[in-house]
Amino acid sequence: MLKKQMTAAYQYSYVRLVLNYYTLFEIIGEKPVIPERIFSCCQRLNGLLKEHFSGKNAEEELLKLRKDITHEVEVLTSYTDCFQIYEYVLNRMERTFRVLPETGLDDESFAKRLVDFITDTKETAVMNGRIRQIIGQLPVRLTKQKFYSLVMEGLSVYIGSPRENLQDMMDTLRTESMAKLPMGMEEGHKDLFELLEQFRHADYKTMTGEGYEEAAAKLSLACEGLMDESGLYLMLQDIINDFCVLIFARQEAVIDVKEEELYSSLTGEILEKFSKEDFTPVNEDFFDRLTQLEGRQEACYERYLRAELPEESNQWNQDPDYIKAVNVDRLLSGSSFVALKKTGEKVETAIVDRSFLEERAGEYFEELEKVLTGASRPVARAIMAKVLSDLPVYFNSIDEIKAYIEGSFQSCLDEAEKETCKELLEELMDDENNLV
């Protein structure tokens, strides 16, 4: 069973690696400017592929590269999370400086529209997703006490769940509320760091129209750059993950010699041009062989899914072959930055109880209190909105949701901010409806 599973994984990842590696090669060749750190990662990947094809063991250095890219993406994600906070603030200032059309609906009618939108689906997951999106855009006028109470309600969902699940949520809340940011955010990202400092120290209360336009333009440009850079790192990581699968599965995989030669020759030709920084178009013969890969990915993945691994246990975790198979499964899970397992790791069996939850939440609230105390009122509200939208849905009925929405609108006396919130919620509903 293991041989069949590892063979399918090996074939699937090899095909995917060839296709993604060629796409990366094309993108790097087409872009006028590539960030130095990303190009350095490409060079490291090329070097490791050379080592692999020459028969050397590249596993240790490959895992180091994977770790470095994971850290880089954590930093970029943290910048994105921070800038989203300030985007929330600037969005709600827009009508102070620009004349924009109004939605034309009173608070009660608009709240009804939102509730109808939430309930216009029978799928609970979709409904919960809509609730969280709406909460993230509603005006926030909460006392800290009420805010912390709502957070506790949301986190209470984790009582009875594995502690790991709660920890993942706490990590998300810490980064997205700026309570804990990764080390080395300034390193290699001086412009982003300086811009973030400008937003941190800006006086939003006295900001002029000119100041607003400048801040909005800078923010838009930074977010665009972050998206491009993150996309390249994601592509690199997916190639590295498939490369890891090749190394982990190779020993057990049984593959036809001609099939392996097809994959290795295609990869080798891309590698040769990439290493020489020769981004001229590849020859016709290359494309003819590349088209032979069509449909293979899907077929290999279907075969891989037919086999299932034994359930994790402390005994199984002592077996290096089992750990390799688990890591292959994680690498093919679709989560590009998933943590890999080590031999001998203990299975986490402890669950969350009320005492454990209150302890962990209390630690987070202390950290968050420092952030909220040092932030201006608009920024503090933006952080609260972000945190509340990250939590599992804590409403027990549609009536509770309706009351929360109406209360948010009624408590906001800033008509310009309220209209902006309605406009953003209109866009959210329109976007969803266009997808249906």
Side-chain angles (χ1 to χ4, degrees):
M1 183 65 78
L2 186 62
K3 281 193 182 297
K4 282 184 179 178
Q5 192 178 28
M6 291 301 101
T7 298
Y10 188 85
Q11 291 170 307
Y12 171 72
S13 284
Y14 219 150
V15 171
R16 210 165 65 145
L17 184 146
V18 172
L19 296 171
N20 286 341
Y21 190 42
Y22 177 65
T23 304
L24 177 69
F25 166 76
E26 279 196 311
I27 290 172
I28 296 294
E30 288 168 1
K31 278 191 176 288
V33 180
I34 298 293
E36 192 179 322
R37 281 170 171 252
I38 289 179
F39 198 74
S40 172
C41 288
C42 290
Q43 289 176 319
R44 284 171 68 185
L45 172 63
N46 291 340
L48 291 169
L49 282 167
K50 277 182 187 172
E51 284 188 16
H52 178 71
F53 286 126
S54 66
K56 293 179 183 174
N57 186 349
E59 182 179 335
E60 187 178 341
E61 288 302 313
L62 184 62
L63 291 175
K64 277 184 189 173
L65 177 56
R66 188 176 187 272
K67 184 180 177 183
D68 290 346
I69 289 177
T70 299
H71 174 71
E72 269 303 304
V73 172
E74 281 175 3
V75 169
L76 295 180
T77 302
S78 293
Y79 273 116
T80 302
D81 290 338
C82 291
F83 288 140
Q84 280 179 352
I85 296 292
Y86 297 108
E87 182 183 35
Y88 179 102
V89 174
L90 292 179
N91 279 344
R92 279 142 188 80
M93 295 172 63
E94 188 177 20
R95 276 182 164 76
T96 307
F97 306 110
R98 295 175 181 171
V99 178
L100 297 167
E102 295 189 359
T103 55
L105 286 174
D106 61 70
D107 296 350
E108 194 176 336
S109 302
F110 197 83
K112 185 181 183 306
R113 270 200 67 193
L114 290 174
V115 171
D116 290 343
F117 169 68
I118 290 168
T119 55
D120 185 28
T121 177
K122 292 180 181 178
E123 294 180 41
T124 305
V126 175
M127 194 182 291
N128 287 344
R130 289 176 178 179
I131 292 168
R132 289 168 64 189
Q133 284 180 304
I134 288 168
I135 288 171
Q137 296 298 346
L138 286 171
V140 174
R141 296 294 187 273
L142 299 170
T143 63
K144 284 183 186 176
Q145 189 177 359
K146 178 61 178 174
F147 167 68
Y148 289 134
S149 169
L150 289 173
V151 175
M152 276 303 295
E153 277 186 59
L155 292 175
S156 297
V157 171
Y158 289 99
I159 293 175
S161 300
R163 289 185 176 183
E164 186 182 1
N165 295 359
L166 175 63
Q167 190 56 51
D168 288 344
M169 173 51 71
M170 300 311 298
D171 289 343
T172 298
L173 294 180
R174 281 186 167 91
T175 56
E176 298 208 349
S177 62
M178 303 194 290
K180 186 179 181 183
L181 298 172
M183 298 286 288
M185 278 189 73
E186 188 175 3
E187 190 182 335
H189 303 285
K190 189 182 175 186
D191 290 349
L192 289 173
F193 189 80
E194 287 177 358
L195 181 60
L196 183 57
E197 287 299 295
Q198 286 175 31
F199 280 117
R200 272 180 177 153
H201 297 109
D203 185 347
Y204 296 99
K205 194 174 181 181
T206 61
M207 186 175 278
T208 63
E210 188 182 347
Y212 166 81
E213 294 295 347
E214 185 184 343
K218 284 182 178 179
L219 186 64
S220 176
L221 194 62
C223 290
E224 194 178 314
L226 282 166
M227 195 177 292
D228 284 350
E229 207 169 326
S230 298
L232 285 170
Y233 275 123
L234 179 61
M235 188 173 289
L236 264 168
Q237 189 80 329
D238 285 342
I239 293 166
I240 289 164
N241 286 346
D242 284 321
F243 192 178
C244 286
V245 172
L246 298 193
I247 291 173
F248 294 159
R250 184 68 192 98
Q251 198 172 341
E252 296 293 334
V254 179
I255 185 169
D256 181 78
V257 175
K258 285 186 178 178
E259 185 182 356
E260 176 114 33
E261 280 177 357
L262 172 65
Y263 303 151
S264 62
S265 67
L266 287 166
T267 311
E269 285 175 44
I270 304 165
L271 174 58
E272 188 177 352
K273 286 176 74 66
F274 212 154
S275 300
K276 291 177 181 175
E277 295 183 34
D278 171 14
F279 297 108
T280 56
V282 293
N283 58 45
E284 217 169 295
D285 173 62
F286 178 90
F287 275 118
D288 289 342
R289 284 178 291 136
L290 196 67
T291 54
Q292 293 178 36
L293 305 187
E294 285 180 13
R296 294 195 187 197
Q297 222 175 308
E298 295 78 6
C300 293
Y301 194 60
E302 280 176 22
R303 280 192 286 113
Y304 176 76
L305 290 176
R306 285 179 204 147
E308 285 188 17
L309 286 169
E311 192 174 338
E312 191 179 347
S313 68
N314 287 330
Q315 186 178 349
W316 274 114
N317 284 350
Q318 301 301 321
D319 182 349
D321 289 335
Y322 175 77
I323 296 300
K324 277 187 179 179
V326 168
N327 283 334
V328 165
D329 206 49
R330 289 186 178 190
L331 290 163
L332 298 184
S333 67
S335 179
S336 301
F337 302 96
V338 65
L340 299 183
K341 199 169 183 60
K342 293 177 182 175
T343 305
E345 272 187 23
K346 297 286 185 185
V347 177
E348 178 66 70
T349 55
I351 61 168
V352 177
D353 58 19
R354 173 62 65 179
S355 171
F356 183 81
L357 174 64
E358 287 176 355
E359 183 186 331
R360 289 292 178 269
E363 290 168 0
Y364 169 59
F365 291 160
E366 282 182 21
E367 296 164 13
L368 184 57
E369 182 64 28
K370 291 174 187 174
V371 178
L372 295 176
T373 302
S376 62
R377 189 175 290 175
V379 174
R381 287 170 177 168
I383 292 170
M384 288 180 178
K386 186 65 179 159
V387 169
L388 293 174
S389 69
D390 282 332
L391 292 168
V393 172
Y394 44 84
F395 299 103
N396 297 312
S397 68
I398 295 298
D399 286 342
E400 278 189 25
I401 298 166
K402 186 169 182 286
Y404 182 87
I405 294 170
E406 288 177 348
S408 295
F409 285 131
Q410 288 164 8
S411 61
C412 178
L413 302 179
D414 184 335
E415 291 300 324
E417 178 184 348
K418 196 188 294 189
E419 274 302 315
T420 298
C421 291
K422 288 178 180 178
E423 182 191 357
L424 292 167
L425 289 164
E426 283 267 23
E427 287 175 12
L428 190 156
M429 289 188 281
D430 289 343
D431 288 344
E432 280 264 346
N433 291 331
N434 289 336
L435 291 174
V436 176

